[in-house]
Every structure is written in structure tokens, then in C-alpha cells.
Amino acid sequence: MDDKPLLSKEAAKKLLAEAARARAAAYAPYSGFCVGAALLFEGGLTVPGCNVENASYSLSVCAERNAMTTALTKGLRRPLAVAVAGPEGAFCPPCGACRQFLAEFNPDMAVVLKEADEPVVYTLRELLPLSFSLDENCGGAD
């Protein structure tokens, strides 16, 4: 096993700060649970996203999926990492749907969360073992 960290502590903190900035744009009038996410790509480019609720709850969009769909519109397909920032003080890992959605693009990406005021880094594969895949040769993750 490689002992090299997925992301430096400094990079993890910076990405979490980007996610917290994105959280400010969240639209969560029903739950009041605002979430921001930030994806990191090659070259240091970041793409933010926030959750957007809807009165028809099933039509709501999580911050992580919002960020990834925005990245796709920019031609970005393989994020290196994602940071998720929920309400201040809340431990906020991606939901199962977001884990599966992100795994389509890079199941080995780093997932940065804030725990006890410090960044904690997991791999998406750790958070979603045995993810669903039709065929990785049909346009899925490399």
C-alpha cells in the first residue's frame, strides 16, 4: 500500500474552504441544511456546487452532483478530489446517491470532510465498496 497521502493537508484545507464558499449559495428553504462541494481537477482547477432543494423533494440536487454536472459542461470528466462542507460543525459525508454518481467519474478520488475542525481524507472507494458498474469499458471511469 502506498503511504503517500491522497492530498496534502494544505490542499485538503483549501478545498474545504472552496466547498464552504459554495455552501453560501445553497438553496435549502425546506430543510435548512445547506451543503457546498468543490471538485479538484488536474492543474488545481476547482469546480464548486451547492445543494438545491425543491418543493417536490425528489427533484432536489445534492451539492456534489451539482458540482460534477457543472464540471462536465466545462469538459472536465475526472476529478482528483471532492470536498463537502455541510452546516458548520456537522460531519457531512456524501450521500449514497452522490457516492455512486461520483464513482462513475473516478472511484479512487479523494473525499475531504471536516471532522473536529480538521480535514479528514478518505477515498471514494473506501466510502462506496462494491459500487455498481455496467461496464467500465462503456464510457465509465478509467
Side-chain angles (χ1 to χ4, degrees):
M1 178 106 195
D2 191 356
D3 288 339
K4 181 182 171 204
L6 294 168
L7 218 52
S8 72
K9 189 170 186 173
E10 187 62 35
K13 282 184 175 186
K14 183 178 176 189
L15 197 58
L16 270 173
E18 291 283 333
R21 277 192 286 282
R23 179 182 61 213
Y27 177 74
Y30 306 105
S31 72
F33 197 84
C34 296
V35 180
L39 291 166
L40 175 67
F41 290 87
E42 235 9 271
L45 179 65
T46 60
V47 176
C50 63
N51 62 319
V52 180
E53 293 182 348
N54 189 278
S56 178
Y57 292 124
S58 65
L59 297 179
S60 296
V61 179
C62 295
E64 302 91 324
R65 287 182 282 144
N66 184 325
M68 190 65 224
T69 56
T70 299
L72 289 168
T73 67
K74 298 173 183 290
L76 301 167
R77 298 197 181 278
R78 191 163 177 85
L80 303 174
V82 62
V84 183
E88 202 53 49
F91 182 66
C92 192
C95 72
C98 286
R99 294 174 195 196
Q100 179 64 48
F101 189 88
L102 292 172
E104 183 86 8
F105 303 99
N106 182 1
D108 296 310
M109 77 173 73
V111 179
V112 183
L113 306 173
K114 190 173 185 180
E115 189 171 8
D117 242 14
E118 288 295 318
V120 179
V121 181
Y122 301 90
T123 65
L124 185 55
R125 201 176 293 277
E126 284 179 287
L127 298 179
L128 185 67
L130 302 174
S131 65
F132 177 79
S133 176
L134 289 176
D135 180 358
E136 290 190 9
N137 295 321
C138 290
D142 296 329

